[in-house]
Short mmCIF file of all heavy atoms in Angstrom, two decimals:
data_model
loop_
_atom_site.label_atom_id
_atom_site.label_comp_id
_atom_site.label_asym_id
_atom_site.label_seq_id
_atom_site.Cartn_x
_atom_site.Cartn_y
_atom_site.Cartn_z
N MET A 1 0.84 -1.18 -0.01
CA MET A 1 -0.02 -0.03 0.00
C MET A 1 0.87 1.28 0.00
O MET A 1 1.91 1.26 0.66
CB MET A 1 -0.88 0.01 1.26
CG MET A 1 -1.85 1.16 1.30
SD MET A 1 -2.98 1.00 2.64
CE MET A 1 -2.49 2.38 3.64
N SER A 2 0.53 2.25 -0.76
CA SER A 2 1.25 3.54 -0.73
C SER A 2 0.23 4.63 -0.57
O SER A 2 -0.96 4.45 -0.78
CB SER A 2 2.08 3.68 -1.94
OG SER A 2 1.32 3.72 -3.11
N VAL A 3 0.76 5.83 -0.35
CA VAL A 3 -0.09 7.00 -0.20
C VAL A 3 0.17 7.97 -1.32
O VAL A 3 1.33 8.17 -1.68
CB VAL A 3 0.20 7.69 1.14
CG1 VAL A 3 -0.61 8.96 1.29
CG2 VAL A 3 -0.07 6.68 2.30
N LYS A 4 -0.86 8.58 -1.88
CA LYS A 4 -0.74 9.62 -2.90
C LYS A 4 -1.30 10.89 -2.35
O LYS A 4 -2.44 10.96 -1.84
CB LYS A 4 -1.52 9.17 -4.17
CG LYS A 4 -1.42 10.22 -5.26
CD LYS A 4 -2.31 9.68 -6.46
CE LYS A 4 -2.36 10.70 -7.58
NZ LYS A 4 -3.18 10.16 -8.66
N ILE A 5 -0.52 11.95 -2.37
CA ILE A 5 -0.95 13.24 -1.85
C ILE A 5 -0.93 14.30 -2.93
O ILE A 5 0.02 14.40 -3.72
CB ILE A 5 0.04 13.76 -0.75
CG1 ILE A 5 0.03 12.75 0.42
CG2 ILE A 5 -0.35 15.13 -0.26
CD1 ILE A 5 1.09 13.06 1.49
N ARG A 6 -1.96 15.03 -3.07
CA ARG A 6 -2.05 16.14 -4.04
C ARG A 6 -1.70 17.46 -3.35
O ARG A 6 -2.30 17.76 -2.33
CB ARG A 6 -3.37 16.29 -4.72
CG ARG A 6 -3.37 17.33 -5.85
CD ARG A 6 -4.62 17.42 -6.53
NE ARG A 6 -5.47 18.39 -5.78
CZ ARG A 6 -6.70 18.73 -6.12
NH1 ARG A 6 -7.32 18.15 -7.10
NH2 ARG A 6 -7.34 19.61 -5.33
N VAL A 7 -0.72 18.18 -3.83
CA VAL A 7 -0.27 19.43 -3.24
C VAL A 7 -0.62 20.52 -4.20
O VAL A 7 -0.27 20.51 -5.41
CB VAL A 7 1.31 19.38 -3.01
CG1 VAL A 7 1.72 20.65 -2.45
CG2 VAL A 7 1.65 18.18 -2.15
N SER A 8 -1.21 21.60 -3.66
CA SER A 8 -1.49 22.80 -4.47
C SER A 8 -0.51 23.84 -3.96
O SER A 8 -0.34 24.07 -2.78
CB SER A 8 -2.86 23.32 -4.26
OG SER A 8 -3.80 22.37 -4.72
N TYR A 9 0.18 24.57 -4.97
CA TYR A 9 1.17 25.50 -4.57
C TYR A 9 1.15 26.71 -5.54
O TYR A 9 0.64 26.56 -6.64
CB TYR A 9 2.58 24.88 -4.46
CG TYR A 9 3.08 24.27 -5.73
CD1 TYR A 9 3.92 24.97 -6.55
CD2 TYR A 9 2.64 23.04 -6.16
CE1 TYR A 9 4.43 24.46 -7.73
CE2 TYR A 9 3.05 22.51 -7.32
CZ TYR A 9 3.95 23.16 -8.11
OH TYR A 9 4.35 22.72 -9.31
N THR A 10 1.78 27.82 -5.16
CA THR A 10 1.88 28.93 -6.11
C THR A 10 3.25 29.17 -6.70
O THR A 10 3.33 29.73 -7.79
CB THR A 10 1.49 30.25 -5.30
OG1 THR A 10 2.30 30.37 -4.20
CG2 THR A 10 -0.01 30.17 -4.87
N ASP A 11 4.34 28.75 -6.03
CA ASP A 11 5.64 28.87 -6.57
C ASP A 11 6.49 27.64 -6.28
O ASP A 11 6.17 26.89 -5.38
CB ASP A 11 6.35 30.17 -6.18
CG ASP A 11 6.53 30.28 -4.71
OD1 ASP A 11 6.48 29.34 -3.98
OD2 ASP A 11 6.67 31.46 -4.24
N ASP A 12 7.54 27.47 -7.02
CA ASP A 12 8.37 26.27 -6.93
C ASP A 12 9.05 26.09 -5.52
O ASP A 12 9.25 24.97 -5.11
CB ASP A 12 9.44 26.23 -7.99
CG ASP A 12 8.87 26.11 -9.35
OD1 ASP A 12 7.73 25.54 -9.50
OD2 ASP A 12 9.49 26.55 -10.36
N GLU A 13 9.24 27.22 -4.83
CA GLU A 13 9.87 27.12 -3.50
C GLU A 13 8.93 26.45 -2.53
O GLU A 13 9.40 25.75 -1.58
CB GLU A 13 10.28 28.49 -3.01
CG GLU A 13 11.48 29.10 -3.72
CD GLU A 13 11.11 29.74 -5.08
OE1 GLU A 13 9.95 30.10 -5.26
OE2 GLU A 13 11.95 29.82 -5.96
N GLU A 14 7.65 26.72 -2.64
CA GLU A 14 6.67 26.07 -1.77
C GLU A 14 6.70 24.56 -1.94
O GLU A 14 6.75 23.78 -0.96
CB GLU A 14 5.27 26.57 -1.99
CG GLU A 14 5.00 27.93 -1.49
CD GLU A 14 3.58 28.38 -1.84
OE1 GLU A 14 3.13 28.23 -2.93
OE2 GLU A 14 2.94 28.86 -0.85
N LEU A 15 6.70 24.10 -3.19
CA LEU A 15 6.76 22.66 -3.48
C LEU A 15 8.07 22.07 -2.93
O LEU A 15 8.03 20.99 -2.33
CB LEU A 15 6.55 22.41 -4.94
CG LEU A 15 6.69 20.94 -5.41
CD1 LEU A 15 5.59 20.16 -4.72
CD2 LEU A 15 6.64 20.82 -6.91
N ALA A 16 9.13 22.71 -3.16
CA ALA A 16 10.42 22.21 -2.71
C ALA A 16 10.40 22.11 -1.15
O ALA A 16 10.96 21.09 -0.64
CB ALA A 16 11.56 23.16 -3.14
N GLY A 17 9.84 23.02 -0.48
CA GLY A 17 9.73 22.96 0.96
C GLY A 17 8.89 21.75 1.48
O GLY A 17 9.28 21.03 2.40
N VAL A 18 7.80 21.48 0.77
CA VAL A 18 6.94 20.33 1.14
C VAL A 18 7.70 19.04 0.87
O VAL A 18 7.70 18.14 1.77
CB VAL A 18 5.65 20.33 0.38
CG1 VAL A 18 4.83 19.08 0.59
CG2 VAL A 18 4.79 21.57 0.80
N ILE A 19 8.34 18.97 -0.21
CA ILE A 19 9.09 17.70 -0.58
C ILE A 19 10.23 17.50 0.46
O ILE A 19 10.51 16.39 0.89
CB ILE A 19 9.61 17.75 -1.99
CG1 ILE A 19 8.39 17.67 -2.93
CG2 ILE A 19 10.56 16.66 -2.26
CD1 ILE A 19 8.72 17.90 -4.41
N ARG A 20 10.92 18.57 0.84
CA ARG A 20 12.00 18.49 1.77
C ARG A 20 11.48 18.01 3.11
O ARG A 20 12.10 17.18 3.78
CB ARG A 20 12.67 19.86 1.95
CG ARG A 20 13.92 19.78 2.76
CD ARG A 20 14.78 21.09 2.78
NE ARG A 20 14.08 22.33 2.70
CZ ARG A 20 13.75 23.08 1.69
NH1 ARG A 20 14.03 22.87 0.55
NH2 ARG A 20 13.18 24.21 1.67
N LEU A 21 10.32 18.50 3.59
CA LEU A 21 9.73 18.01 4.87
C LEU A 21 9.33 16.56 4.82
O LEU A 21 9.45 15.85 5.84
CB LEU A 21 8.57 18.89 5.26
CG LEU A 21 8.85 20.37 5.64
CD1 LEU A 21 7.59 21.11 5.78
CD2 LEU A 21 9.59 20.34 6.99
N LEU A 22 8.79 16.13 3.72
CA LEU A 22 8.32 14.73 3.58
C LEU A 22 9.36 13.81 3.06
O LEU A 22 9.10 12.56 2.92
CB LEU A 22 7.10 14.73 2.66
CG LEU A 22 5.87 15.49 3.16
CD1 LEU A 22 4.80 15.48 2.07
CD2 LEU A 22 5.35 14.94 4.47
N SER A 23 10.60 14.27 2.78
CA SER A 23 11.52 13.50 2.05
C SER A 23 11.89 12.11 2.64
O SER A 23 12.18 11.19 1.90
CB SER A 23 12.85 14.27 1.93
OG SER A 23 13.44 14.56 3.16
N PRO A 24 11.87 11.89 4.01
CA PRO A 24 12.18 10.56 4.46
C PRO A 24 11.23 9.47 3.92
O PRO A 24 11.56 8.32 3.81
CB PRO A 24 12.08 10.64 5.99
CG PRO A 24 12.25 12.07 6.27
CD PRO A 24 11.71 12.81 5.09
N ALA A 25 10.01 9.87 3.64
CA ALA A 25 9.00 8.83 3.21
C ALA A 25 8.58 8.99 1.73
O ALA A 25 7.85 8.18 1.23
CB ALA A 25 7.75 8.96 4.04
N VAL A 26 9.13 9.97 1.03
CA VAL A 26 8.72 10.16 -0.37
C VAL A 26 9.35 9.09 -1.27
O VAL A 26 10.52 8.81 -1.27
CB VAL A 26 9.21 11.57 -0.87
CG1 VAL A 26 8.98 11.68 -2.42
CG2 VAL A 26 8.41 12.60 -0.18
N LYS A 27 8.45 8.43 -2.05
CA LYS A 27 8.88 7.44 -3.05
C LYS A 27 9.18 8.11 -4.34
O LYS A 27 10.22 7.96 -4.96
CB LYS A 27 7.81 6.41 -3.23
CG LYS A 27 8.17 5.28 -4.16
CD LYS A 27 6.94 4.38 -4.52
CE LYS A 27 6.23 3.85 -3.33
NZ LYS A 27 5.14 2.91 -3.71
N SER A 28 8.26 8.96 -4.78
CA SER A 28 8.43 9.76 -6.02
C SER A 28 7.46 10.94 -6.01
O SER A 28 6.57 10.96 -5.19
CB SER A 28 8.23 8.91 -7.27
OG SER A 28 6.91 8.50 -7.30
N TRP A 29 7.63 11.85 -6.94
CA TRP A 29 6.66 12.97 -7.08
C TRP A 29 6.69 13.39 -8.53
O TRP A 29 7.67 13.16 -9.25
CB TRP A 29 7.01 14.11 -6.11
CG TRP A 29 8.38 14.70 -6.31
CD1 TRP A 29 9.53 14.25 -5.75
CD2 TRP A 29 8.75 15.84 -7.05
NE1 TRP A 29 10.57 15.03 -6.09
CE2 TRP A 29 10.09 16.02 -6.91
CE3 TRP A 29 8.00 16.72 -7.84
CZ2 TRP A 29 10.73 17.04 -7.57
CZ3 TRP A 29 8.64 17.76 -8.47
CH2 TRP A 29 10.04 17.90 -8.35
N LYS A 30 5.61 14.03 -8.92
CA LYS A 30 5.57 14.63 -10.28
C LYS A 30 4.63 15.83 -10.29
O LYS A 30 3.73 16.01 -9.48
CB LYS A 30 5.06 13.60 -11.32
CG LYS A 30 3.61 13.18 -11.15
CD LYS A 30 3.14 12.28 -12.20
CE LYS A 30 1.67 11.87 -12.08
NZ LYS A 30 1.22 11.04 -13.12
N VAL A 31 4.94 16.76 -11.19
CA VAL A 31 4.13 17.96 -11.36
C VAL A 31 3.09 17.75 -12.39
O VAL A 31 3.40 17.09 -13.42
CB VAL A 31 5.05 19.13 -11.78
CG1 VAL A 31 4.27 20.38 -12.08
CG2 VAL A 31 6.08 19.40 -10.70
N ALA A 32 1.88 18.10 -12.18
CA ALA A 32 0.78 17.91 -13.14
C ALA A 32 1.08 18.64 -14.46
O ALA A 32 1.66 19.73 -14.42
CB ALA A 32 -0.55 18.42 -12.50
N LYS A 33 0.66 18.04 -15.53
CA LYS A 33 0.94 18.61 -16.83
C LYS A 33 0.19 19.91 -17.10
O LYS A 33 0.73 20.85 -17.62
CB LYS A 33 0.67 17.59 -17.96
CG LYS A 33 1.61 16.42 -17.89
CD LYS A 33 1.27 15.43 -19.04
CE LYS A 33 2.26 14.26 -18.92
NZ LYS A 33 2.00 13.28 -20.00
N ARG A 34 -1.11 19.90 -16.81
CA ARG A 34 -1.93 21.05 -17.08
C ARG A 34 -1.93 22.01 -15.84
O ARG A 34 -2.35 21.64 -14.82
CB ARG A 34 -3.38 20.67 -17.37
CG ARG A 34 -3.46 19.85 -18.66
CD ARG A 34 -4.86 19.54 -18.93
NE ARG A 34 -5.61 20.80 -19.13
CZ ARG A 34 -6.84 20.84 -19.53
NH1 ARG A 34 -7.50 19.80 -19.87
NH2 ARG A 34 -7.46 22.02 -19.64
N GLN A 35 -1.34 23.16 -16.04
CA GLN A 35 -1.22 24.11 -14.97
C GLN A 35 -1.94 25.37 -15.31
O GLN A 35 -1.38 26.26 -15.94
CB GLN A 35 0.26 24.44 -14.70
CG GLN A 35 1.14 23.23 -14.31
CD GLN A 35 0.81 22.68 -12.96
OE1 GLN A 35 0.24 23.38 -12.13
NE2 GLN A 35 1.14 21.44 -12.69
N GLU A 36 -3.22 25.50 -14.94
CA GLU A 36 -3.97 26.63 -15.23
C GLU A 36 -4.49 27.25 -13.95
O GLU A 36 -4.70 26.55 -12.97
CB GLU A 36 -5.23 26.27 -16.12
CG GLU A 36 -4.83 25.69 -17.42
CD GLU A 36 -6.08 25.21 -18.23
OE1 GLU A 36 -7.15 25.40 -17.77
OE2 GLU A 36 -5.87 24.55 -19.32
N GLY A 37 -4.68 28.56 -13.93
CA GLY A 37 -5.20 29.18 -12.70
C GLY A 37 -4.09 29.66 -11.76
O GLY A 37 -2.87 29.65 -12.10
N ALA A 38 -4.56 30.09 -10.62
CA ALA A 38 -3.58 30.68 -9.65
C ALA A 38 -2.71 29.61 -8.98
O ALA A 38 -1.66 29.91 -8.54
CB ALA A 38 -4.40 31.44 -8.59
N TYR A 39 -3.21 28.42 -8.82
CA TYR A 39 -2.47 27.36 -8.12
C TYR A 39 -2.03 26.26 -9.10
O TYR A 39 -2.70 25.97 -10.08
CB TYR A 39 -3.38 26.71 -7.03
CG TYR A 39 -3.77 27.72 -5.98
CD1 TYR A 39 -5.00 28.31 -6.01
CD2 TYR A 39 -2.91 27.98 -4.99
CE1 TYR A 39 -5.35 29.17 -4.99
CE2 TYR A 39 -3.22 28.95 -4.01
CZ TYR A 39 -4.45 29.48 -4.03
OH TYR A 39 -4.79 30.40 -3.04
N ARG A 40 -0.84 25.70 -8.81
CA ARG A 40 -0.29 24.63 -9.57
C ARG A 40 -0.40 23.38 -8.67
O ARG A 40 -0.49 23.47 -7.52
CB ARG A 40 1.18 24.96 -9.87
CG ARG A 40 1.26 26.21 -10.78
CD ARG A 40 2.67 26.73 -10.83
NE ARG A 40 3.55 25.85 -11.54
CZ ARG A 40 4.87 26.05 -11.58
NH1 ARG A 40 5.48 27.07 -11.03
NH2 ARG A 40 5.63 25.14 -12.23
N ASN A 41 -0.40 22.23 -9.35
CA ASN A 41 -0.53 20.94 -8.64
C ASN A 41 0.66 20.06 -8.81
O ASN A 41 1.23 20.01 -9.87
CB ASN A 41 -1.84 20.24 -9.06
CG ASN A 41 -3.07 20.97 -8.69
OD1 ASN A 41 -3.16 21.46 -7.59
ND2 ASN A 41 -3.95 21.11 -9.63
N ALA A 42 0.92 19.25 -7.77
CA ALA A 42 1.92 18.20 -7.87
C ALA A 42 1.38 17.03 -7.06
O ALA A 42 0.50 17.13 -6.21
CB ALA A 42 3.24 18.67 -7.26
N TYR A 43 1.91 15.85 -7.41
CA TYR A 43 1.45 14.63 -6.75
C TYR A 43 2.65 13.97 -6.14
O TYR A 43 3.70 13.76 -6.74
CB TYR A 43 0.73 13.66 -7.76
CG TYR A 43 -0.47 14.27 -8.33
CD1 TYR A 43 -0.42 14.95 -9.58
CD2 TYR A 43 -1.67 14.18 -7.66
CE1 TYR A 43 -1.55 15.54 -10.04
CE2 TYR A 43 -2.84 14.80 -8.21
CZ TYR A 43 -2.76 15.49 -9.42
OH TYR A 43 -3.86 16.07 -9.91
N ILE A 44 2.52 13.67 -4.80
CA ILE A 44 3.66 13.00 -4.09
C ILE A 44 3.18 11.59 -3.73
O ILE A 44 2.17 11.43 -3.12
CB ILE A 44 3.95 13.81 -2.87
CG1 ILE A 44 4.39 15.24 -3.20
CG2 ILE A 44 5.08 13.08 -2.04
CD1 ILE A 44 4.61 16.17 -2.01
N TYR A 45 4.01 10.61 -4.09
CA TYR A 45 3.74 9.20 -3.72
C TYR A 45 4.74 8.85 -2.64
O TYR A 45 5.92 9.06 -2.71
CB TYR A 45 3.96 8.35 -4.96
CG TYR A 45 3.12 8.66 -6.14
CD1 TYR A 45 3.51 9.62 -7.07
CD2 TYR A 45 1.83 8.12 -6.23
CE1 TYR A 45 2.71 9.97 -8.07
CE2 TYR A 45 0.99 8.50 -7.28
CZ TYR A 45 1.45 9.46 -8.23
OH TYR A 45 0.61 9.81 -9.23
N MET A 46 4.14 8.28 -1.53
CA MET A 46 4.96 8.02 -0.30
C MET A 46 4.97 6.54 -0.01
O MET A 46 3.99 5.81 -0.28
CB MET A 46 4.32 8.78 0.82
CG MET A 46 4.37 10.28 0.64
SD MET A 46 3.71 11.15 2.01
CE MET A 46 4.96 10.84 3.17
N HIS A 47 6.11 6.09 0.59
CA HIS A 47 6.24 4.73 1.08
C HIS A 47 5.34 4.55 2.31
O HIS A 47 5.12 5.56 3.09
CB HIS A 47 7.68 4.47 1.55
CG HIS A 47 8.65 4.44 0.40
ND1 HIS A 47 8.76 3.41 -0.49
CD2 HIS A 47 9.56 5.35 0.04
CE1 HIS A 47 9.67 3.67 -1.36
NE2 HIS A 47 10.22 4.85 -1.09
N PRO A 48 4.81 3.41 2.55
CA PRO A 48 4.06 3.19 3.77
C PRO A 48 5.02 3.29 5.01
O PRO A 48 6.14 2.91 4.91
CB PRO A 48 3.50 1.81 3.64
CG PRO A 48 4.36 1.12 2.63
CD PRO A 48 4.89 2.23 1.70
N ILE A 49 4.49 3.84 6.04
CA ILE A 49 5.29 3.93 7.29
C ILE A 49 4.69 2.99 8.27
O ILE A 49 3.49 2.85 8.49
CB ILE A 49 5.22 5.42 7.83
CG1 ILE A 49 5.83 6.37 6.77
CG2 ILE A 49 5.91 5.53 9.14
CD1 ILE A 49 5.73 7.78 7.19
N GLY A 50 5.54 2.30 9.00
CA GLY A 50 5.14 1.36 10.07
C GLY A 50 5.60 -0.01 9.72
O GLY A 50 6.63 -0.18 9.09
N ARG A 51 4.85 -1.00 10.10
CA ARG A 51 5.24 -2.41 9.93
C ARG A 51 5.17 -2.79 8.44
O ARG A 51 4.37 -2.31 7.72
CB ARG A 51 4.33 -3.34 10.72
CG ARG A 51 4.42 -3.18 12.19
CD ARG A 51 3.49 -4.22 12.81
NE ARG A 51 3.57 -4.11 14.23
CZ ARG A 51 2.76 -4.81 15.05
NH1 ARG A 51 1.87 -5.57 14.55
NH2 ARG A 51 2.92 -4.66 16.35
N THR A 52 6.08 -3.72 8.06
CA THR A 52 5.97 -4.28 6.73
C THR A 52 4.92 -5.31 6.69
O THR A 52 4.39 -5.77 7.73
CB THR A 52 7.32 -4.97 6.36
OG1 THR A 52 7.49 -6.05 7.20
CG2 THR A 52 8.47 -3.94 6.44
N ASN A 53 4.44 -5.67 5.49
CA ASN A 53 3.44 -6.70 5.36
C ASN A 53 3.84 -8.02 6.00
O ASN A 53 3.01 -8.72 6.59
CB ASN A 53 3.04 -6.91 3.87
CG ASN A 53 2.34 -5.70 3.33
OD1 ASN A 53 1.74 -4.96 4.06
ND2 ASN A 53 2.36 -5.50 2.04
N LYS A 54 5.07 -8.43 5.83
CA LYS A 54 5.57 -9.63 6.39
C LYS A 54 5.45 -9.68 7.90
O LYS A 54 4.99 -10.63 8.50
CB LYS A 54 7.05 -9.88 5.96
CG LYS A 54 7.60 -11.20 6.32
CD LYS A 54 9.00 -11.37 5.76
CE LYS A 54 9.55 -12.72 5.99
NZ LYS A 54 10.86 -12.93 5.46
N GLU A 55 5.84 -8.53 8.54
CA GLU A 55 5.73 -8.45 10.02
C GLU A 55 4.26 -8.49 10.46
O GLU A 55 3.88 -9.17 11.45
CB GLU A 55 6.32 -7.17 10.52
CG GLU A 55 7.86 -7.11 10.38
CD GLU A 55 8.43 -5.77 10.74
OE1 GLU A 55 7.69 -4.77 10.52
OE2 GLU A 55 9.56 -5.64 11.09
N ARG A 56 3.40 -7.80 9.73
CA ARG A 56 1.96 -7.80 10.04
C ARG A 56 1.35 -9.17 9.93
O ARG A 56 0.60 -9.61 10.77
CB ARG A 56 1.23 -6.79 9.14
CG ARG A 56 -0.16 -6.41 9.56
CD ARG A 56 -0.80 -5.38 8.65
NE ARG A 56 0.10 -4.20 8.54
CZ ARG A 56 0.50 -3.69 7.36
NH1 ARG A 56 0.13 -4.26 6.27
NH2 ARG A 56 1.23 -2.64 7.32
N ASP A 57 1.72 -9.94 8.89
CA ASP A 57 1.19 -11.25 8.69
C ASP A 57 1.61 -12.18 9.83
O ASP A 57 0.86 -13.00 10.29
CB ASP A 57 1.66 -11.84 7.37
CG ASP A 57 0.97 -11.13 6.19
OD1 ASP A 57 -0.07 -10.43 6.43
OD2 ASP A 57 1.47 -11.21 5.05
N SER A 58 2.91 -12.08 10.29
CA SER A 58 3.40 -13.00 11.32
C SER A 58 2.69 -12.70 12.65
O SER A 58 2.39 -13.66 13.40
CB SER A 58 4.85 -12.85 11.47
OG SER A 58 5.24 -11.59 11.96
N VAL A 59 2.37 -11.41 12.94
CA VAL A 59 1.62 -11.14 14.16
C VAL A 59 0.20 -11.70 14.07
O VAL A 59 -0.33 -12.31 15.03
CB VAL A 59 1.60 -9.57 14.33
CG1 VAL A 59 0.65 -9.21 15.48
CG2 VAL A 59 3.00 -9.12 14.68
N GLN A 60 -0.47 -11.58 12.93
CA GLN A 60 -1.85 -12.04 12.76
C GLN A 60 -1.86 -13.61 12.87
O GLN A 60 -2.75 -14.19 13.47
CB GLN A 60 -2.45 -11.60 11.44
CG GLN A 60 -2.78 -10.16 11.42
CD GLN A 60 -3.29 -9.68 10.08
OE1 GLN A 60 -3.26 -10.49 9.04
NE2 GLN A 60 -3.74 -8.46 9.97
N ASP A 61 -0.87 -14.30 12.26
CA ASP A 61 -0.81 -15.73 12.32
C ASP A 61 -0.55 -16.30 13.75
O ASP A 61 -1.20 -17.29 14.10
CB ASP A 61 0.24 -16.30 11.41
CG ASP A 61 -0.04 -16.09 9.94
OD1 ASP A 61 -1.24 -15.91 9.62
OD2 ASP A 61 0.89 -16.11 9.11
N SER A 62 0.19 -15.59 14.50
CA SER A 62 0.47 -16.10 15.92
C SER A 62 -0.75 -15.86 16.81
O SER A 62 -0.84 -16.60 17.76
CB SER A 62 1.69 -15.35 16.48
OG SER A 62 1.40 -13.95 16.59
N GLY A 63 -1.61 -14.98 16.49
CA GLY A 63 -2.75 -14.70 17.27
C GLY A 63 -3.95 -15.58 16.96
O GLY A 63 -4.99 -15.58 17.69
N ARG A 64 -3.86 -16.46 16.01
CA ARG A 64 -4.98 -17.31 15.58
C ARG A 64 -5.07 -18.58 16.36
O ARG A 64 -4.20 -19.17 16.79
CB ARG A 64 -4.95 -17.60 14.08
CG ARG A 64 -5.26 -16.38 13.27
CD ARG A 64 -5.28 -16.68 11.82
NE ARG A 64 -5.42 -15.41 11.12
CZ ARG A 64 -5.33 -15.29 9.79
NH1 ARG A 64 -5.06 -16.37 9.09
NH2 ARG A 64 -5.51 -14.16 9.17
#
């Protein structure tokens, strides 16, 4: 499972700041192709944070 976040921003420095803050968990990001209006959009794809699927499965199996 991964997370997709849509970010609205007005200048490139704002986007760079958001990516810098989220950088430990960022898998990839892209800027939307169509940029109309006052705000621009980017999409940030993040790695899941927490237990891995393998760890989660072993905990569930031991509880059955």
Side-chain angles (χ1 to χ4, degrees):
M1 181 172 117
S2 64
V3 176
K4 178 180 176 181
I5 300 173
R6 186 178 86 180
V7 178
S8 298
Y9 62 99
T10 55
D11 58 21
D12 293 335
E13 289 79 24
E14 285 181 313
L15 177 60
V18 171
I19 291 172
R20 189 171 35 265
L21 289 171
L22 298 175
S23 64
V26 171
K27 184 188 309 184
S28 65
W29 59 276
K30 68 177 183 177
V31 175
K33 292 181 181 179
R34 296 184 59 173
Q35 301 290 340
E36 299 175 6
Y39 296 99
R40 298 165 66 187
N41 294 314
Y43 298 93
I44 300 173
Y45 300 90
M46 300 181 67
H47 293 286
I49 297 175
R51 294 183 180 172
T52 64
N53 289 337
K54 188 175 183 179
E55 291 171 335
R56 193 175 307 124
D57 291 342
S58 67
V59 170
Q60 288 176 352
D61 289 341
S62 65
R64 290 182 186 172

